[in-house]
Amino acid sequence: MDGIASDVAVGVKRSSDELLSGSLYNSPNSSVTANGSDSKKLRVEDSMDSPPSRVIHIRKLPNEVSETEVIALGLPFGKVTNILMLKGKNQAFLELGTEEAAVTMVNYYTAVTPQVRNVPVFIQYSNHKELKTDSALNQRAQAVLQAVSAVQEGGSPSSAAGESVLTPAPSPVLRIIIDNMFYPVTLDVLQQIFSKFGTVMKIITFTKNNQFQALLQFSDPVNAQQAKLSLDGQNIYNSCCTLRIDFSKLVNLNVKYNNDKSRDYTRPELPAGDGQPPVDPSVAATLSKDSTSLLGAISPLSAAAAAAAAAGRVALSGHSGPGGVLLVSNLNEEMVTPQSLFTLFGVYGDVQRVKILYNKKDSALIQMSDGNQAQLSMSHLNGQKMYGKIIRVTLSKHQTVQLPREGLDDQGLTKDFTSSPLHRFKKPGSKNFQNIFPPSATLHLSNIPENVTEEDLRLLFSNSGGTVKAFKFFQDRKMALLQMSTVEEAIQALIDLHNYDMGRGHRLRVSFSKSTI
């Protein structure tokens, strides 16, 4: 039997208001008083059923940590709108632009322990809904936040008190070295990771000094700067494929061929040039001039994995890895079935087997195709509500899910989905790889028959037990966006209606969307 982690560093424990020494931090539902006692022990309470907040509380930060390093923890998940540093207590509060971004951040760091300067830190929801700070008390932190926000929004970094907070990016081209490369890293993986920070125009990959390297050109230097700040030092896959990023001395890449070694996304008509060197001679001459030492690079997020930091927009590798079995607990045992778990977890990978535990029916084992899919599922679904209960998702000690012995009736608690036609990621290069998003209230519908109207779809999704708040057809009417009133209702609707028979051989396809209506 798998043990369920009872006191993980992230998301399960939440501290109280006495942490807010000397701050002007208030929420609409609470009043905060300053407390100057550093010796007072932290009161912690179980927040298993506590609502998420877009304010994240970070504890046990190393001494002399910078505001930029704290902001970098939240950057990959969305806009950071406020920060409060409590340096005397080695704590900080980070406010994200949306609650969805905060949920994604906490879920991800449940799976991967966040580190700052190689020191593990604790991340959890705050019990306040917004962060209000007095700029006079928090001036330095606000200046850094403004500078990073300018980079996020494509503007120019500002400076405060005569001090430059972020130096202008010298080039739109990044030089990327992959250390500890256990799995292959493709052009498409790089493009998906880095495109979160701006338009990727060109990529060239090559091997130098027995290391896989790449040159990647953004459309704007500020996008390159933001990507470097957020991704330098992160791992593409769990505990391997570490990104080392610096600016290249090149300001423009000249790509001759579109193949598995190089690509110009602005010129799809380029030939494949099989067998030809992808690097232009002028580029090759400059490669030797680029610095290969990244020892001086600051790594604000050295332990985070870029795959989930890019909010799941990383292609699943297709390579089997360790830890492909998940333990899911706190399930609604009256409602849950192997099929419902297969449908929900199938959004993030190809579910092979599901086993609801006979003696503990609020827990289940789910076997994914590989460890990367298991990590992705855990980062997005841990802490979400399913059938009215907040589920917990952790990696299991088991390597496989055992099927019941032949002739043994396990009451339908175990099911083998290995040959299911509903797997989303079997086909190499499928668009499903690019459309992996956290659970959201907005659903993407596809494969809609011509004769089905908006009213038909609104009625269908209302019957799943929720309220349809908004609807929008795409131009060809084969796809649509449909917004439920809550994320929980959207999860329920996806479980009930993905693969729903719409008639004439049309099976409705449902996934989560990053868009809003």
Coordinates of all heavy atoms in Angstrom, one line a residue, residues 20-27 32 54-56 67 80-86 91-95 128-143 145-146:
L20 N 3.1 38.6 9.4 CA 3.1 39.8 8.7 C 3.7 41.0 9.5 O 3.1 42.0 9.7 CB 1.7 40.1 8.2 CG 1.1 39.0 7.4 CD1 -0.4 39.2 7.2 CD2 1.8 38.9 6.1
S21 N 4.9 40.8 10.0 CA 5.5 41.8 10.9 C 5.8 43.1 10.1 O 6.5 43.0 9.1 CB 6.8 41.2 11.5 OG 7.5 42.2 12.2
G22 N 5.3 44.2 10.7 CA 5.7 45.5 10.1 C 5.1 45.7 8.7 O 5.6 46.6 8.0
S23 N 4.1 45.0 8.3 CA 3.6 45.2 6.9 C 2.3 45.9 6.9 O 1.6 45.9 8.0 CB 3.5 43.9 6.2 OG 2.4 43.1 6.8
L24 N 1.9 46.4 5.8 CA 0.6 46.9 5.6 C -0.1 46.0 4.6 O -0.5 46.4 3.5 CB 0.6 48.4 5.1 CG 1.2 49.4 6.1 CD1 1.3 50.7 5.4 CD2 0.4 49.4 7.4
Y25 N -0.4 44.8 5.0 CA -0.9 43.8 4.2 C -2.3 43.5 4.6 O -2.5 43.0 5.7 CB 0.0 42.6 4.3 CG -0.5 41.3 3.7 CD1 -0.2 41.0 2.3 CD2 -1.2 40.4 4.4 CE1 -0.6 39.8 1.8 CE2 -1.6 39.2 3.8 CZ -1.3 38.9 2.5 OH -1.7 37.7 1.9
N26 N -3.3 43.8 3.8 CA -4.7 43.6 4.2 C -5.5 42.9 3.1 O -5.2 43.0 1.9 CB -5.3 45.0 4.5 CG -4.6 45.7 5.6 OD1 -4.6 45.2 6.7 ND2 -4.0 46.8 5.3
S27 N -6.6 42.3 3.5 CA -7.5 41.7 2.5 C -8.9 42.2 2.9 O -9.1 42.7 4.0 CB -7.5 40.2 2.6 OG -8.2 39.7 3.7
V32 N -5.1 42.9 9.6 CA -3.8 42.4 10.0 C -3.2 43.4 10.9 O -3.1 44.6 10.6 CB -3.0 42.2 8.7 CG1 -1.6 41.7 9.1 CG2 -3.6 41.2 7.8
R54 N -4.8 34.1 -4.9 CA -3.7 34.5 -5.8 C -2.5 35.0 -5.1 O -1.5 35.4 -5.7 CB -4.3 35.4 -6.8 CG -4.8 36.8 -6.4 CD -5.5 37.5 -7.4 NE -5.9 38.9 -7.0 CZ -5.2 40.0 -7.3 NH1 -4.1 39.9 -8.0 NH2 -5.7 41.1 -6.9
V55 N -2.6 35.1 -3.8 CA -1.4 35.5 -3.0 C -0.7 34.3 -2.5 O -1.3 33.4 -1.8 CB -1.8 36.4 -1.8 CG1 -0.6 36.8 -1.0 CG2 -2.5 37.7 -2.3
I56 N 0.6 34.2 -2.8 CA 1.4 33.0 -2.4 C 2.3 33.4 -1.2 O 3.0 34.4 -1.3 CB 2.2 32.5 -3.6 CG1 1.3 32.1 -4.8 CG2 3.0 31.3 -3.2 CD1 0.3 31.0 -4.5
E67 N 14.8 40.4 -4.5 CA 13.4 40.4 -4.9 C 13.3 39.7 -6.3 O 12.3 39.1 -6.5 CB 13.0 41.9 -5.0 CG 12.8 42.6 -3.7 CD 14.1 43.2 -3.2 OE1 15.2 42.9 -3.8 OE2 14.1 43.9 -2.2
V80 N 3.1 38.6 -12.4 CA 3.3 38.9 -10.9 C 2.9 40.3 -10.7 O 3.4 41.3 -11.3 CB 4.7 38.6 -10.5 CG1 4.9 39.0 -9.0 CG2 5.1 37.2 -10.7
T81 N 1.9 40.6 -9.8 CA 1.3 41.9 -9.7 C 1.7 42.6 -8.4 O 1.5 43.8 -8.3 CB -0.2 41.8 -9.7 OG1 -0.7 40.8 -8.7 CG2 -0.7 41.4 -11.1
N82 N 2.3 41.9 -7.4 CA 2.7 42.6 -6.2 C 3.7 41.6 -5.4 O 3.6 40.4 -5.6 CB 1.6 43.0 -5.3 CG 1.9 44.2 -4.5 OD1 3.0 44.6 -4.4 ND2 0.8 44.8 -3.9
I83 N 4.5 42.2 -4.6 CA 5.5 41.4 -3.8 C 5.7 42.2 -2.5 O 5.7 43.4 -2.4 CB 6.8 41.2 -4.5 CG1 7.8 40.4 -3.6 CG2 7.4 42.6 -4.9 CD1 9.1 40.0 -4.4
L84 N 5.8 41.4 -1.4 CA 6.1 41.9 -0.1 C 7.3 41.1 0.5 O 7.1 39.8 0.6 CB 4.9 41.9 0.9 CG 5.2 42.3 2.3 CD1 5.6 43.7 2.4 CD2 4.0 42.0 3.2
M85 N 8.4 41.7 0.8 CA 9.5 40.9 1.3 C 9.6 41.2 2.8 O 9.5 42.3 3.3 CB 10.8 41.4 0.7 CG 10.9 41.3 -0.8 SD 11.2 39.6 -1.4 CE 12.8 39.3 -0.8
L86 N 9.7 40.1 3.6 CA 9.9 40.1 5.0 C 11.3 39.5 5.3 O 11.4 38.4 5.7 CB 8.8 39.4 5.8 CG 7.4 39.8 5.5 CD1 6.4 39.0 6.3 CD2 7.2 41.3 5.9
Q91 N 11.0 35.5 4.7 CA 9.7 35.2 4.1 C 9.3 36.3 3.1 O 9.9 37.3 3.0 CB 8.6 35.2 5.2 CG 8.8 34.1 6.2 CD 7.8 34.1 7.3 OE1 6.7 34.7 7.1 NE2 8.1 33.6 8.5
A92 N 8.4 35.9 2.2 CA 7.9 36.8 1.2 C 6.5 36.5 0.8 O 6.0 35.3 1.0 CB 8.8 36.8 0.0
F93 N 5.7 37.4 0.3 CA 4.4 37.2 -0.2 C 4.4 37.7 -1.7 O 4.9 38.7 -2.0 CB 3.3 38.0 0.6 CG 3.1 37.4 1.9 CD1 3.9 37.9 3.0 CD2 2.1 36.5 2.2 CE1 3.7 37.4 4.3 CE2 1.9 36.0 3.4 CZ 2.7 36.4 4.5
L94 N 3.9 36.8 -2.5 CA 3.9 37.1 -4.0 C 2.4 37.0 -4.5 O 1.7 36.1 -4.2 CB 4.7 36.0 -4.7 CG 5.3 36.4 -6.1 CD1 6.3 37.5 -5.9 CD2 6.0 35.1 -6.6
E95 N 2.0 38.1 -5.1 CA 0.6 38.2 -5.6 C 0.7 38.0 -7.1 O 1.4 38.7 -7.9 CB 0.0 39.5 -5.3 CG -1.4 39.7 -5.8 CD -2.0 41.1 -5.5 OE1 -2.5 41.3 -4.4 OE2 -1.8 41.9 -6.5
H128 N -5.1 35.3 2.7 CA -5.6 36.6 2.3 C -5.7 36.6 0.8 O -5.0 35.9 0.1 CB -4.7 37.7 2.8 CG -4.6 37.7 4.3 ND1 -5.5 38.3 5.1 CD2 -3.7 37.2 5.1 CE1 -5.2 38.1 6.4 NE2 -4.1 37.4 6.4
K129 N -6.6 37.4 0.3 CA -7.0 37.4 -1.1 C -6.3 38.4 -2.0 O -6.3 38.4 -3.2 CB -8.5 37.6 -1.2 CG -9.3 36.5 -0.6 CD -9.0 35.2 -1.3 CE -9.8 34.0 -0.7 NZ -9.4 32.7 -1.2
E130 N -5.7 39.5 -1.3 CA -4.9 40.4 -2.1 C -3.8 41.0 -1.2 O -3.8 40.8 0.0 CB -5.8 41.5 -2.7 CG -6.4 42.4 -1.6 CD -7.1 43.6 -2.2 OE1 -6.6 44.2 -3.2 OE2 -8.2 43.9 -1.8
L131 N -2.8 41.6 -1.9 CA -1.6 42.1 -1.2 C -1.6 43.6 -1.3 O -1.5 44.1 -2.4 CB -0.4 41.4 -1.8 CG 1.0 41.8 -1.1 CD1 1.0 41.4 0.3 CD2 2.1 41.0 -1.9
K132 N -1.7 44.3 -0.2 CA -1.6 45.8 -0.2 C -0.3 46.2 0.5 O -0.1 45.8 1.6 CB -2.8 46.4 0.5 CG -4.1 46.2 -0.3 CD -5.2 46.9 0.4 CE -6.5 46.6 -0.4 NZ -7.7 47.2 0.2
T133 N 0.5 46.9 -0.2 CA 1.8 47.3 0.4 C 2.0 48.8 0.4 O 1.5 49.5 -0.5 CB 3.0 46.6 -0.3 OG1 2.8 46.9 -1.7 CG2 3.0 45.1 -0.1
D134 N 2.7 49.3 1.4 CA 3.0 50.8 1.4 C 4.3 50.9 0.7 O 5.4 50.4 1.0 CB 3.2 51.2 2.9 CG 3.4 52.7 3.0 OD1 4.1 53.3 2.1 OD2 2.9 53.3 4.0
S135 N 4.3 51.7 -0.4 CA 5.5 51.8 -1.2 C 6.7 52.4 -0.5 O 7.8 52.1 -0.8 CB 5.2 52.7 -2.5 OG 4.8 54.0 -2.1
A136 N 6.4 53.2 0.6 CA 7.5 53.7 1.4 C 8.2 52.7 2.1 O 9.4 52.7 2.3 CB 7.0 54.8 2.3
L137 N 7.5 51.6 2.6 CA 8.1 50.5 3.3 C 8.7 49.5 2.4 O 9.5 48.6 2.8 CB 7.1 49.9 4.3 CG 6.5 50.8 5.4 CD1 5.5 50.1 6.2 CD2 7.6 51.3 6.3
N138 N 8.2 49.4 1.2 CA 8.5 48.3 0.3 C 9.1 48.8 -1.0 O 8.8 48.2 -2.1 CB 7.3 47.5 0.1 CG 7.5 46.1 -0.4 OD1 8.6 45.5 0.0 ND2 6.6 45.5 -1.1
Q139 N 9.8 49.9 -1.0 CA 10.2 50.7 -2.2 C 11.1 49.8 -3.1 O 10.8 49.8 -4.3 CB 10.9 52.0 -1.8 CG 11.1 52.9 -3.0 CD 11.6 54.3 -2.6 OE1 12.2 54.4 -1.5 NE2 11.4 55.3 -3.4
R140 N 12.1 49.2 -2.6 CA 13.0 48.4 -3.4 C 12.3 47.3 -4.1 O 12.4 47.1 -5.3 CB 14.1 47.9 -2.5 CG 15.0 46.9 -3.2 CD 15.8 47.4 -4.3 NE 16.5 46.4 -5.1 CZ 17.2 46.6 -6.1 NH1 17.3 47.8 -6.6 NH2 17.8 45.6 -6.8
A141 N 11.5 46.6 -3.4 CA 10.7 45.4 -4.0 C 9.8 45.9 -5.1 O 9.7 45.3 -6.1 CB 9.9 44.7 -2.9
Q142 N 9.1 47.0 -4.9 CA 8.2 47.5 -5.9 C 9.0 48.0 -7.1 O 8.5 47.8 -8.3 CB 7.4 48.7 -5.3 CG 6.5 48.3 -4.2 CD 5.5 47.3 -4.7 OE1 4.8 47.4 -5.7 NE2 5.4 46.2 -3.9
A143 N 10.2 48.5 -7.0 CA 11.0 49.0 -8.1 C 11.4 47.8 -9.0 O 11.3 47.8 -10.2 CB 12.2 49.7 -7.6
L145 N 9.8 44.9 -9.1 CA 8.5 44.4 -9.7 C 8.2 45.2 -10.9 O 7.8 44.6 -11.9 CB 7.4 44.4 -8.6 CG 6.0 43.9 -9.1 CD1 6.1 42.4 -9.4 CD2 5.0 44.2 -8.1
Q146 N 8.3 46.5 -10.8 CA 8.0 47.4 -12.0 C 8.9 47.0 -13.1 O 8.5 47.0 -14.3 CB 8.1 48.8 -11.6 CG 6.9 49.3 -10.7 CD 7.2 50.7 -10.2 OE1 8.0 51.4 -10.7 NE2 6.4 51.1 -9.1

